[in-house]
Amino acid sequence: MRVMVVGAGLGGLTLAQGLRRAGIDVAVYERDGADGRPQGVSLHFDDRGAAALRACLPPAHLAIAEATMGAPRGQALALSEVDGELVVVGNRVLDGTAGRVPPGRQVSRRLLRAVLLAGLEDVVRFGAKFTHFEQRPDGTVQAWFADGSTDTADVLVGADGIGSGVRWQYLPQVQVYDTGKRMLMGASPLRAVADTGVPELIGDNPASAQIGTTMMAMGALRFQESPRAARDQWLPDLRSSAIDDAEDFLMWAVPVTQERLGAAATPAAIWRRTREVAADLPAVLRAVVDHAWPDLTVALRIGMIPPVPAWPSSQVTVIGDAIHAAPGFGGNLAMQDAHLLRDALVEVAQGRSEVRTAISEFEDAVRRNNAPALEPHP
Ligand SMILES: Cc1cc2nc3c(=O)[nH]c(=O)nc-3n(C[C@H](O)[C@H](O)[C@H](O)COP(=O)(O)OP(=O)(O)OC[C@H]3O[C@@H](n4cnc5c(N)ncnc54)[C@H](O)[C@@H]3O)c2cc1C
């Protein structure tokens, strides 16, 4: 069996690792270059992502991924300014109920992606923009790419994010909405912001401060083990600036409307805009933004996909943001989808199921698992 995956994001790469580990022939086609486009520095990583990595990654990859996570995070803190000082005024247990974020750990997005890519160099083709596919009478699927090249496989998986071209052709009824909200996200070296007192105040917990109309969410990533030491121990051949340059940091995020963001487009311009937006915040939070790495600052678009009624299954399917957008935990859902699909395709490869049946069962499971995330936003 041969599987084509469009998109080398968290979902596509987890799936590719899992298929390869099970001895299934897989090819990944990625529009961007090996570094990908900036998607923010860190992720809150929960049990769904952890289970997917355990099932899909080779032992050394899993070991480095686990060793380089932050400490467990069990509660979210609310911060406010009292008598001119930033203090904790409330906390909420992270329990995953009612579509809320479950407990987890902070991970470096770039580092995780570098680990997911390791060992797949011969199956991932960068600079390959998917354009369209055709389902052929013999049960295979042919895909075309912008450079005119084409490939054929038994299964085509759209892991190509919220703007998915695979979904656009396969499920044209799916609506994607731009909420008009943007998340300004960046990170500051922990050493540079230690004297603000913020890292000590929040520990390893996610925290947010609402001051007037401006909100800032933040979280520290203190690598449990040095990424370079973990690399040397587990994957000594892995070369990545995400590991070479890694140091503990404080990530921060400030939601704004597109109007408030304005025309800022480059990382440096977005960082400057964030400093202006943060002008209402307490001095210690302004200092956190001031000390950020400007080139890691991004403005992420917040999109929404309303629940999609079941469709007839075929040898084409979609995972992750391509079918359900969940800004706070969509990466975990994408990895969970990859895990489920990998298990379903192993059943096919081992002769215990047939492609359409396996994909149909996988899609039912995705709809069940993601039901809370699929609730329309208020
Ligand atoms: C502000 C914000 C904060 C978030 N925080 C978290 C968090 O803390 N925890 C969490 O779990 N999730 C979080 N998410 C969600 C998470 O970022 C996404 O859900 C996750 O990245 C989805 O993974 P994916 O593999 O489905 O898609 P993506 O990561 O978007 O990957 C899709 C890939 O497909 C490629 N591609 C697209 N089109 C084509 C094409 N035509 N041809 C070839 N390749 C193509 C893209 O270049 C990309 O590499 C957050 C999202 C936002 C916006």
Side-chain angles (χ1 to χ4, degrees):
M1 183 167 60
R2 176 170 167 75
V3 179
M4 258 186 301
V5 179
V6 177
L10 297 175
L13 291 175
T14 302
L15 176 62
Q17 287 282 3
L19 292 175
R20 175 163 249 210
R21 198 162 174 231
I24 296 173
D25 186 15
V26 59
V28 181
Y29 291 90
E30 167 57 45
R31 166 187 68 186
D32 293 339
D35 291 338
R37 62 191 60 194
Q39 283 187 306
V41 286
S42 62
L43 280 175
H44 178 81
F45 182 84
D46 64 39
D47 280 354
R48 296 167 290 190
L53 295 192
R54 278 197 299 274
C56 295
L57 292 189
H61 290 60
L62 181 62
I64 185 171
E66 288 180 338
T68 53
M69 289 177 189
R73 324 165 92 188
Q75 56 178 342
L77 308 178
L79 310 179
S80 193
E81 198 170 32
V82 177
D83 297 333
E85 209 179 317
L86 191 69
V87 294
V88 176
V89 291
N91 63 1
R92 180 171 49 75
V93 172
L94 297 178
D95 55 11
T97 56
R100 289 207 180 117
V101 173
R105 293 166 182 265
Q106 179 98 314
V107 302
S108 156
R109 203 185 244 274
R110 288 175 61 232
L111 197 158
L112 178 60
R113 188 163 185 273
V115 171
L116 289 174
L117 265 172
L120 292 179
E121 294 79 4
D122 55 333
V123 299
V124 181
R125 220 186 99 200
F126 294 107
K129 183 177 182 208
F130 163 87
T131 56
H132 63 287
F133 68 85
E134 187 181 311
Q135 290 172 281
R136 305 199 314 187
D138 65 359
T140 60
V141 193
Q142 185 169 8
W144 279 263
F145 301 91
D147 61 3
S149 63
T150 136
D151 193 5
T152 302
D154 302 291
V155 175
L156 170 67
V157 181
D160 45 350
I162 192 162
S164 171
V166 175
R167 182 205 60 228
W168 190 81
Q169 179 181 346
Y170 187 54
L171 301 171
Q173 72 274 26
V174 175
Q175 304 286 315
V176 179
Y177 295 100
D178 182 348
T179 61
K181 295 178 188 155
R182 304 289 179 264
M183 191 65 87
L184 309 176
M185 289 180 93
S188 314
L190 216 53
R191 60 181 158 75
V193 299
D195 62 4
T196 63
V198 177
E200 203 182 341
L201 180 68
I202 66 173
D204 295 305
N205 300 299
S208 62
Q210 176 80 50
I211 313 283
T213 56
T214 306
M215 198 277 261
M216 181 165 151
M218 66 213 90
L221 174 46
R222 299 174 176 88
F223 292 105
Q224 295 295 283
E225 196 174 314
S226 139
R228 284 176 292 279
R231 184 259 314 274
D232 293 347
Q233 183 178 357
W234 300 106
L235 289 174
D237 293 336
L238 176 56
R239 294 286 143 235
S240 165
S241 60
I243 291 176
D244 297 336
D245 305 341
E247 65 169 296
D248 295 349
F249 61 80
L250 185 71
M251 69 72 67
W252 46 262
V254 179
V256 292
T257 58
Q258 172 62 61
E259 292 72 38
R260 203 167 176 208
L261 168 62
T266 63
I270 296 165
W271 172 63
R272 284 194 298 273
R273 184 72 192 116
T274 310
R275 294 177 78 191
E276 291 164 7
V277 170
D280 300 342
L281 294 174
V284 288
L285 296 182
R286 292 201 307 274
V288 165
V289 177
D290 288 348
H291 284 100
W293 287 293
D295 56 336
L296 294 186
T297 312
V298 290
L300 297 174
R301 183 188 299 257
I302 310 291
M304 200 263 279
I305 301 180
V308 183
W311 59 88
S313 297
S314 76
Q315 68 276 50
V316 177
T317 192
V318 275
I319 66 172
D321 274 17
I323 193 64
H324 46 71
F329 45 90
N332 289 283
L333 297 185
M335 289 184 272
Q336 177 177 254
D337 292 354
H339 178 188
L340 285 169
L341 183 56
R342 175 252 187 210
D343 287 356
L345 295 177
V346 167
E347 291 295 294
V348 178
Q350 295 182 352
R352 289 192 293 270
S353 187
E354 185 269 333
V355 170
R356 277 170 196 254
T357 310
I359 288 182
S360 167
E361 287 169 4
F362 156 73
E363 289 169 348
D364 283 343
V366 169
R367 280 187 281 269
R368 274 196 309 276
N369 285 341
N370 299 345
L374 296 176
E375 289 299 321
H377 291 216

